[in-house]
Amino acid sequence: MLLGFVACGKRETAAEAGIKTGTLLVGNSSEPKDLDPQTIVAYTDARLLFALFEGLTALDEATGQAVPAGAKTWETSPDGLTWTFHLDPAGKWSNGEPVTAADYVFAYRRILNPAFAAEYASMVYPLKNAQAYNSGKLKDATQIGAVAVDNLTLRLTLEEPCPWLISLLAHQSWLPIPRAVVEKFGGGDKQGTAWTRPGNLVSNGPFFLKEWQPNARVVLEKFPGYRAASLVKLNQVIFFPIENPTTEEAAFRAGQLHVTYTLPPDKIAGYRTEPSSRLHSNPTLSTYYINFNVKKAPLDNTKVRRALTLAIDRTGIAEKLLQGSRSPARSLVPDNTGGYTSHVQIPDDFAGAKALLAEAGYPEGRGFPPLELQTGSGSTNKLINEAIQETWRRELGITVTIAELEQKTLFANAKAGAYQASSAGWVGDYVDPDTFLGVFLSDNGNNWSGWNNAEYDRLVHEAGRTLDTKSRQELQQRAEAILLAELPLAPTLHTQGNYLIDPAVRGWKPSILGLNRYINIELRK
């Protein structure tokens, strides 16, 4: 890991040196797949991205509500279909060029280009003709509802009203990108080009990319030309892809990190007893679940999926195994998401699971084929999935093997349908049930279960254009009831942030969506 642990003596640690130089050292679990705003889907990649880029709006860490960012002001038409944004004239790219409305228009056309095959393209579907263009039904990108009126004025026209548009605009799928730089490296309609490498990447956020050593570290440096540079107290942020939480916690204790990504559950109790605790625990809008590949037998049988879902000891895993650091998930959408709590709650019901498995033709598990559960690496994932594996063996009589994979391989397999069951998780992109329910739409690029349901799609889409909160949530309740009846997933845990912070880190805001922009954070004793 190239962390250079200090074994003994009084030598200055990396964390101590960082306080002097304004360099924040952050654990980030996984190696980034890329730093292209329009291709990343991993939460760990987004943690870097929002220090590099910003959109028309940003999300306040504590509330998850949208605040002005690249746009200083905006107004909308009475019918909610036309939005006009006025860009901050101080906005600049890290190469010194101004950020213009045309940069946003280019970004939206690129992510919607069918040849580009972006998994998050559906996030931009609120724009008029966006879905038609992305599906290939419409060939003319200029018909997408995004127009640069002038350099500092962007007009968006929507297909239909979108209640959460202002929050949605903070998402990475809506970030601007510099056309000349992207096209110079052939990335106009291709993923994985060199425009995101050090020396090439041009961004418009508080930091720019200085260095990227694969599987070692990513170094971001303060961008002095950032439109709000006076708010940026740090000179550098360095991210370390430490996948093993035990290794990460040891690095923190050795003075090699200021902030960890997570914390092994067996270490939580010890940190809780500290007089001035370095442990931070805060709720996040997120759900850990198991994806079932409904295209592969026996998981094409709803009774089998329901049996597996009921035979999970969520309470035991959350309260005992994980030391109360998680809570049981009995629905996909976390409770009280924008005032919404699912009417359907999945119980832990071993007797019911046995009966269902017998009805599916596998009494006591007899004749049930071997099942592989693919999961990410790390000690916490290992604990959770080994507990599920043992419960399924004990209660249902089935044999489950666990395949522990790197995150990029896990995601690639899931996207390709090369799995039977796969651990997954979703962190909300904005504070509304739609951010979770939208994942399982038939046309969503992140729906890797193979499941689709026309009525579910209709209800989620209808909710998406319903401005009245009560009416919208009634539609969302009906949609989630369908999802939890057919169960292409097994909700398992609602997660929360459990991580360590050095007391020298000041101004850190716990984030309900788990993402920080690293603005107003400073290091001092």
Side-chain angles (χ1 to χ4, degrees):
M1 279 301 164
L2 303 180
L3 294 177
F5 291 161
V6 177
C8 58
K10 296 183 179 181
R11 291 174 56 194
E12 183 177 61
T13 67
E16 289 169 340
I19 295 171
K20 295 178 181 179
T21 62
T23 301
L24 183 70
L25 308 175
V26 181
N28 199 49
S29 179
S30 299
E31 172 70 11
K33 172 192 172 185
D34 202 347
L35 294 175
D36 187 328
Q38 299 183 330
T39 66
I40 71 165
V41 296
Y43 161 71
T44 47
D45 293 358
R47 281 164 56 93
L48 283 77
L49 199 70
F50 285 101
L52 289 166
F53 291 87
E54 70 174 9
L56 294 167
T57 63
L59 297 180
D60 177 80
E61 285 92 340
T63 66
Q65 299 303 309
V67 297
K72 293 186 72 172
T73 60
W74 54 82
E75 59 265 359
T76 183
S77 60
D79 62 6
L81 294 179
T82 303
W83 293 74
T84 304
F85 294 86
H86 305 282
L87 305 191
D88 188 335
K92 286 186 174 59
W93 293 107
S94 54
N95 63 1
E97 295 292 322
V99 178
T100 70
D103 295 320
Y104 288 90
V105 174
F106 171 70
Y108 303 157
R109 292 177 181 177
R110 178 180 184 249
I111 195 172
L112 291 167
N113 186 338
F116 190 65
E119 290 165 86
Y120 255 137
S122 60
M123 293 289 279
V124 191
Y125 281 3
L127 291 179
K128 186 175 181 63
N129 291 325
Q131 186 171 9
Y133 179 70
N134 186 238
S135 66
K137 294 178 182 177
L138 177 70
K139 303 300 182 182
D140 184 2
T142 66
Q143 298 302 305
I144 296 169
V147 175
V149 178
D150 56 42
N151 282 347
L152 296 177
T153 309
L154 174 69
R155 180 170 297 142
L156 303 182
T157 305
L158 308 187
E159 194 75 50
E160 52 199 19
C162 179
W164 44 81
L165 178 69
I166 296 302
S167 295
L168 198 61
L169 294 174
H171 189 263
Q172 66 256 30
S173 55
W174 292 81
L175 294 175
I177 52 174
R179 179 173 187 167
V181 177
V182 173
E183 291 185 338
K184 175 183 176 182
F185 294 96
D189 59 359
K190 294 183 179 66
Q191 297 191 23
T193 64
W195 87 271
T196 58
R197 308 312 295 178
N200 301 341
L201 181 64
V202 171
S203 57
N204 71 322
F207 297 87
F208 68 91
L209 179 63
K210 181 180 181 181
E211 177 186 333
W212 183 353
Q213 295 182 24
N215 299 305
R217 66 182 195 167
V218 180
V219 181
L220 309 187
E221 187 156 311
K222 179 180 177 177
F223 171 39
Y226 173 58
R227 62 170 189 86
S230 62
L231 300 178
V232 183
K233 308 296 194 300
L234 297 169
N235 292 316
Q236 284 190 340
V237 184
I238 303 179
F239 293 88
F240 297 93
I242 309 172
E243 292 196 352
N244 189 312
T246 300
T247 303
E248 185 183 43
E249 188 270 340
F252 180 86
R253 282 189 290 106
Q256 304 303 301
L257 295 174
H258 293 117
V259 185
T260 69
Y261 176 77
T262 187
L263 182 65
D266 60 352
K267 298 287 186 180
I268 291 175
Y271 280 101
R272 279 177 179 158
T273 63
E274 288 187 348
S276 56
S277 180
R278 294 170 290 176
L279 172 65
H280 284 232
S281 297
N282 58 274
T284 57
L285 204 64
S286 56
T287 303
Y288 178 93
Y289 55 90
I290 295 173
N291 259 328
F292 296 129
N293 188 338
V294 304
K295 302 293 187 182
K296 292 191 176 183
L299 298 172
D300 57 346
N301 187 325
T302 304
K303 289 182 178 179
V304 170
R305 299 196 300 270
R306 187 161 190 83
L308 293 172
T309 301
L310 295 179
I312 296 176
D313 183 10
R314 295 165 178 80
T315 302
I317 293 173
E319 296 180 0
K320 297 178 182 178
L321 191 64
L322 301 181
Q323 302 290 310
S325 62
R326 312 286 192 278
S327 60
R330 306 196 179 279
S331 58
L332 171 62
V333 181
D335 291 351
N336 196 28
T337 297
Y340 171 102
T341 296
S342 177
H343 293 166
V344 179
Q345 298 287 303
I346 301 294
D348 302 346
D349 182 3
F350 300 147
K354 290 178 182 178
L356 280 167
L357 200 63
E359 289 176 22
Y362 306 104
E364 305 296 328
R366 291 192 294 275
F368 196 91
L371 179 66
E372 181 186 73
L373 172 58
Q374 296 185 8
T375 181
S377 57
S379 57
T380 304
N381 278 330
K382 184 178 177 67
L383 282 171
I384 295 169
N385 290 295
E386 285 182 348
I388 293 172
Q389 175 192 44
E390 171 56 22
T391 304
W392 285 349
R393 183 201 64 77
R394 184 183 68 246
E395 300 294 339
L396 302 180
I398 65 176
T399 300
V400 179
T401 58
I402 295 176
E404 193 171 330
L405 307 172
E406 289 186 349
Q407 180 173 273
K408 61 183 179 181
T409 305
L410 180 72
F411 284 6
N413 286 358
K415 182 180 179 181
Y419 75 98
Q420 292 176 288
S422 178
S423 63
W426 193 260
V427 182
D429 294 314
Y430 44 94
V431 186
D432 191 278
D434 181 80
T435 187
F436 291 91
L437 299 177
V439 176
F440 286 89
L441 289 170
S442 302
D443 59 1
N444 190 292
N446 294 305
N447 180 3
W448 298 334
S449 66
W451 178 81
N452 62 81
N453 181 289
E455 178 63 5
Y456 178 86
D457 290 354
R458 186 190 71 78
L459 289 166
V460 173
H461 285 307
E462 186 177 348
R465 57 178 174 264
T466 301
L467 297 179
D468 177 71
T469 301
K470 182 180 179 182
S471 299
R472 180 168 73 252
Q473 291 188 355
E474 287 173 355
L475 293 164
Q476 291 168 331
Q477 291 284 2
R478 291 165 59 189
E480 190 169 17
I482 292 172
L483 184 72
L484 296 178
E486 299 199 8
L487 290 171
L489 77 160
T492 306
L493 298 166
H494 293 309
T495 58
Q496 67 177 30
N498 295 287
Y499 51 94
L500 301 171
I501 296 186
D502 189 296
V505 179
R506 310 296 179 92
W508 180 276
K509 291 182 181 179
S511 172
I512 190 172
L513 299 176
L515 298 172
N516 293 79
R517 292 186 292 157
Y518 300 91
I519 294 176
N520 288 319
I521 297 173
E522 59 182 320
L523 291 164
R524 56 184 171 84
K525 286 290 190 181

